[in-house]
Amino acid sequence: MDQFLITGTGRISGEVTISGAKNAALPLLAAMILAETPTTLHNVPSLQDVTTLIKLISGMGIVISKEGNTVTCNTKTIDSFYAPYDLVKTMRASILVLGPLLARFGEAEVSLPGGCAIGSRPVDQHLQAFEAMGAEIIVENGYVKAKAPKGGKLIGCEYSFDMVTVGGTENVIMAAALAKGTTRLENCAREPEVVDLANMLVAMGAKIDGIGTANMTIEGVESLHGCEYSVVPDRIETGSYLAGALMTEGDVLTKHTRPELLLPVLKKFEAMGAVITTGEDWIRAQMKGRPLPVDIRTQPHPGFPTDMQAQLMAVCCLADGTSTIIENIFENRYMHVPELERMGANIKVDGHTAIVKGVEKFEAAPVMATDLRASMSLVMAAATAEGKSLIDRIYHIDRGYEDVENKLRGLGVKIERVSNKD
Ligand code: UD1
């Protein structure tokens, strides 16, 4: 298993080019299943999760391949509507093939997902909405078996999500795009990645109103065609690298990104004392002195994103004072806390709340990455600490950050990938 050996250098500074968003690329790849003619997707990050989804889709007989950051897909030869446990278990987003398969082919059999260990993360909302569209859903032997009503077409419905769910909204809008009649959805997720998917569906011929709002109306069409589309920049990757500047009195310029995608994060960075400057496709964070403490509550977009919670916590660990963090989205998303504590942080967790008392510096230590985003908080902490830190289980980080070592090196981080033969 690979590990990162990081020698703290003290200052994170330089330029970094941001990749396409993992969380947008995955639903966009799933949406390719809906198109009757070939689709081309640009700015697709080279990540383990993307490889997994491409493997899953090609297992259905679809011709799909990735060259550089471009994926092309032709669904003409599809001969299976099945997503096996072996692949799905490594990535929860695999459930996103369910909506497209069911809507276009009238049937699907998809393993229940695994993914990050950050809570139980059920898919009841996805399934309830499909049932509301007339699908017959059976969950047995770890698989979801879904069938469209007689005639093979889902039927437009009115559905209100019980909670804001990103994947649920994505799955259901893909299905509704090919349903018979109109689907009215309430309490939809408004994340930029949901908007990106809706925009691609429109480019494929879908009729969607209310994109970017909590209420979307989708008028089903007979068929969707291929298109050429480019994945939105990764707001979480952007925020993760900028956070490095705040921890080290650094100066980080992120390029090929979009400031409007991460306003709630940039606001917190400013509250912590950073000078943030932006252009149309770049953001720069400059920091002098220790960060100021802040209070953070994770919330659905446009609130503070849960995917930035661990990275912001790492900044709070070095703040001049006490910060409070409340995690509202996932029940088990503080697994990075004991690891940050091993590096000298002072954090008390009580249920969903973490009280972070700032310390002057992190200490180098061997630590373990626990989930995708948490891994980055440890990498950044190690980069600021004096001495060598060994980070284990970095397969988590490979799932979500493209070319991470080179990008970090470009910011002055001394990082090596080493193989642990154990
Ligand atoms: C997506 C993101 C993930 C991010 C999360 C929240 C992808 C690939 N992943 O995950 O990085 O952290 O949004 O912004 O885009 N829930 C239910 N029932 C459901 C669906 C969700 O109870 O049917 C709950 C979940 O357990 C969780 C909350 O709703 O507590 C939000 O989950 P959701 O927005 O669906 O997250 P994902 O789409 O899995």
Side-chain angles (χ1 to χ4, degrees):
M1 222 182 268
D2 285 359
Q3 301 170 319
F4 278 149
L5 181 63
I6 295 176
T7 312
T9 48
R11 192 152 190 265
I12 296 177
S13 283
E15 293 185 7
V16 58
T17 300
I18 298 304
S19 302
K22 170 186 88 79
N23 285 358
L26 299 175
L28 297 185
L29 288 169
M32 286 173 139
I33 297 173
L34 291 162
E36 294 196 356
T37 51
T39 310
T40 303
L41 194 54
H42 301 289
N43 203 29
V44 180
S46 298
L47 297 171
Q48 192 52 51
D49 276 10
V50 166
T51 309
T52 303
L53 191 52
I54 288 177
K55 214 165 158 191
L56 188 74
I57 293 173
S58 73
M60 297 169 189
I62 292 174
V63 179
I64 181 165
S65 61
K66 180 165 174 293
E67 246 177 70
N69 291 107
T70 297
V71 173
T72 46
C73 175
N74 188 341
T75 60
K76 256 210 169 95
T77 47
I78 188 164
D79 57 10
S80 148
F81 315 118
Y82 175 69
Y85 174 68
D86 269 4
L87 288 173
V88 174
K89 71 173 181 201
T90 62
M91 187 184 65
R92 174 180 162 82
S94 313
I95 193 73
L96 293 173
V97 301
L98 182 57
L101 287 174
L102 183 59
R104 185 165 165 213
F105 303 102
E107 60 176 299
E109 185 172 342
V110 178
S111 167
L112 282 169
C116 274
I118 54 175
S120 62
R121 305 183 80 177
V123 290
D124 55 301
Q125 297 297 300
H126 307 225
L127 304 186
Q128 273 177 30
F130 294 145
E131 278 178 332
M133 298 171 101
E136 186 195 319
I137 308 275
I138 299 170
V139 180
E140 67 183 7
N141 307 118
Y143 278 79
V144 179
K145 297 175 185 172
K147 256 199 163 54
K150 252 202 185 135
K153 279 263 175 206
L154 293 171
I155 300 159
C157 73
E158 299 200 353
Y159 187 78
S160 178
F161 291 100
D162 291 345
M163 78 280 296
V164 178
T165 154
V166 173
T169 305
E170 291 167 344
N171 226 343
V172 176
I173 63 172
M174 287 190 280
L178 283 182
K180 215 183 202 171
T182 304
T183 301
R184 286 191 182 80
L185 300 173
E186 283 178 17
N187 202 22
C188 295
R190 292 177 280 165
E191 269 64 6
E193 295 76 21
V194 176
V195 171
D196 208 32
L197 170 65
N199 286 337
M200 172 156 146
L201 291 172
V202 169
M204 293 165 77
K207 293 189 177 157
I208 309 178
D209 256 2
I211 295 174
T213 74
N215 300 315
M216 276 196 266
T217 304
I218 301 121
E219 205 186 302
V221 294
E222 201 47 49
S223 65
L224 292 170
H225 52 77
C227 68
E228 193 158 347
Y229 197 80
S230 190
V231 180
V232 75
D234 197 318
R235 64 195 165 110
I236 306 300
E237 189 197 22
T238 307
S240 301
Y241 289 122
L242 291 173
L246 276 85
M247 293 167 73
T248 60
E249 297 202 44
D251 181 352
V252 171
L253 175 68
T254 51
K255 298 188 299 186
H256 283 203
T257 187
R258 282 189 17 211
E260 75 275 16
L261 302 178
L262 64 162
L263 293 179
V265 175
L266 297 182
K267 248 167 104 180
K268 283 295 169 198
F269 285 163
E270 282 179 329
M272 295 177 110
V275 175
I276 302 290
T277 39
T278 60
E280 201 181 324
D281 67 349
W282 59 266
I283 306 170
R284 180 176 182 186
Q286 293 165 281
M287 188 72 180
K288 288 258 175 309
R290 279 176 76 181
L292 300 168
V294 283
D295 293 336
I296 297 163
R297 285 166 181 270
T298 65
Q299 237 131 32
H301 194 78
F304 189 89
T306 175
D307 285 352
M308 277 299 298
Q309 181 252 105
Q311 302 87 315
L312 251 286
M313 182 182 278
V315 183
C316 291
C317 286
L318 296 178
D320 192 5
T322 301
S323 305
T324 305
I325 299 178
I326 301 176
E327 171 57 56
N328 285 313
I329 309 293
F330 291 111
E331 70 210 30
N332 189 18
R333 209 171 197 181
Y334 283 138
M335 290 175 307
H336 45 285
V337 168
E339 303 303 316
L340 288 170
E341 284 176 328
R342 291 172 55 75
M343 302 184 79
N346 182 343
I347 306 166
K348 296 268 166 302
V349 174
D350 182 7
H352 286 245
T353 305
I355 308 287
V356 186
K357 262 196 193 155
V359 296
E360 287 214 0
K361 54 183 187 187
F362 280 113
E363 295 155 15
V367 289
M368 194 172 76
T370 51
D371 73 58
L372 200 163
R373 303 302 170 185
S375 338
M376 204 50 167
S377 68
L378 302 178
V379 167
M380 288 300 183
T384 70
E386 235 169 71
K388 288 182 192 299
S389 297
L390 195 62
I391 304 184
D392 206 356
R393 301 205 179 165
I394 57 163
Y395 56 84
H396 285 296
I397 210 166
D398 290 333
R399 284 187 49 209
Y401 289 90
E402 185 178 47
D403 203 15
V404 64
E405 290 132 276
N406 281 328
K407 290 191 186 188
L408 285 165
R409 282 190 196 115
L411 294 175
V413 176
K414 277 196 184 157
I415 179 166
E416 254 179 88
R417 186 179 285 258
V418 292
S419 257
N420 172 7
K421 300 277 181 312
D422 293 349

